[in-house]
Amino acid sequence: DQQVKQNSPSLSVQEGRISILNCDYTNSMFDYFLWYKKYPAEGPTFLISISSIKDKNEDGRFTVFLNKSAKHLSLHIVPSQPGDSAVYFCAASGYGGSNYKLTFGKGTLLTVNP
Amino acid sequence: GAGVSQTPSNKVTEKGKYVELRCDPISGHTALYWYRQSLGQGPEFLIYFQGTGAADDSGLPNDRFFAVRPEGSVSTLKIQRTERGDSAVYLCASSLGLAGGANEQFFGPGTRLTVL
């Protein structure tokens, strides 16, 4: 049973436009959410995170929104660049003492076209 | 190097053989994790070390899988009697292992294991 779901296997956007990647979760004990980016033949690279006490976190071109009541989060990339083309994984964990185990979604392949 | 390193990058073995996969975490990181990523899936948790001890090995699929971290730094994931279903990318990650609070994990490039 998938506790973290990324329902879009792929997304294609034009350079300069906004990319929106979505993630849903089912476990109400999740308290901390992360986005990782993965290029082929490399390990996942941490991108941005958000704790459940917030509804938004911004870092440069990347913003993560959390809707805890809907158990939904999204990653916005503005403006999108060709170098952003990668697989994006949403991950979740508990907070405090249970913060070590990350549960990942299946990933969304983002392609940014020049 | 400053990041997590894993060796070998690729390992091809025959069904029934024994393999060892090595992970060198970021210096100073007390927490170390192993994940397994099968084709088309996200990484799945296998085991977590805090220092030398395995704090949670609930993700290991069966007793053919074992991991050690004898000196609290380098870790080895050991797989006995490999099966074709063990073929996957095995990812290692490390973190500061802070008690409470956020705990971003930094991943290595992975070892791609192929069991023929």
Side-chain angles (χ1 to χ4, degrees):
Chain A
D1 180 33
Q2 279 261 298
Q3 296 187 66
V4 176
K5 300 178 185 178
Q6 294 177 258
N7 291 320
S8 297
S10 62
L11 174 68
S12 183
V13 300
Q14 208 63 29
E15 181 178 6
R17 307 294 290 267
I18 184 170
S19 295
I20 300 176
L21 297 106
N22 293 302
C23 178
D24 297 289
Y25 63 97
T26 58
N27 189 338
S28 58
M29 299 302 291
F30 286 148
D31 244 359
Y32 186 62
F33 304 90
L34 308 90
W35 285 93
Y36 280 83
K37 173 179 172 180
K38 186 182 184 302
Y39 293 118
E42 295 184 11
T45 302
F46 171 75
L47 197 55
I48 192 170
S49 63
I50 189 168
S51 73
S52 61
I53 61 174
K54 295 185 174 181
D55 56 16
K56 176 183 174 181
N57 188 28
E58 191 172 353
D59 183 1
R61 297 186 296 114
F62 303 91
T63 303
V64 56
F65 296 92
L66 175 62
N67 183 334
K68 199 173 178 185
S69 62
K71 295 190 176 68
H72 176 83
L73 61 154
S74 60
L75 174 68
H76 292 211
I77 306 173
V78 182
S80 302
Q81 299 173 353
D84 296 329
S85 298
V87 176
Y88 289 77
F89 289 101
C90 172
S93 74
Y95 207 74
S98 60
N99 67 343
Y100 59 85
K101 183 188 293 189
L102 295 181
T103 301
F104 285 84
K106 291 187 177 183
T108 297
L109 173 63
L110 173 65
T111 302
V112 180
N113 301 302
Chain B
V4 177
S5 62
Q6 292 186 246
T7 54
S9 55
N10 279 284
K11 176 70 178 177
V12 180
T13 190
E14 293 180 344
K15 180 176 178 298
K17 300 288 189 182
Y18 167 82
V19 297
E20 289 190 352
L21 312 179
R22 177 189 165 106
C23 172
D24 269 282
I26 293 172
S27 177
H29 280 190
T30 61
L32 185 145
Y33 317 80
W34 285 98
Y35 290 82
R36 177 167 74 172
Q37 185 176 11
S38 302
L39 196 62
Q41 305 293 317
E44 294 178 299
F45 171 82
L46 295 177
I47 187 170
Y48 155 59
F49 286 90
Q50 182 61 258
T52 60
D56 183 346
D57 64 357
S58 62
L60 295 178
N62 51 61
D63 61 6
R64 296 186 297 104
F65 288 75
F66 190 70
V68 294
R69 195 186 185 200
E71 297 178 356
S73 179
V74 170
S75 176
T76 305
L77 178 65
K78 309 180 180 193
I79 310 174
Q80 297 178 322
R81 304 183 304 279
T82 51
E83 300 178 356
R84 292 193 180 89
D86 298 335
S87 297
V89 175
Y90 289 81
L91 293 163
C92 176
S94 70
S95 73
L96 288 171
L98 300 173
N103 194 18
E104 286 88 4
Q105 298 178 20
F106 297 85
F107 283 81
T111 293
R112 180 175 296 278
L113 175 66
T114 304
V115 182
L116 301 176

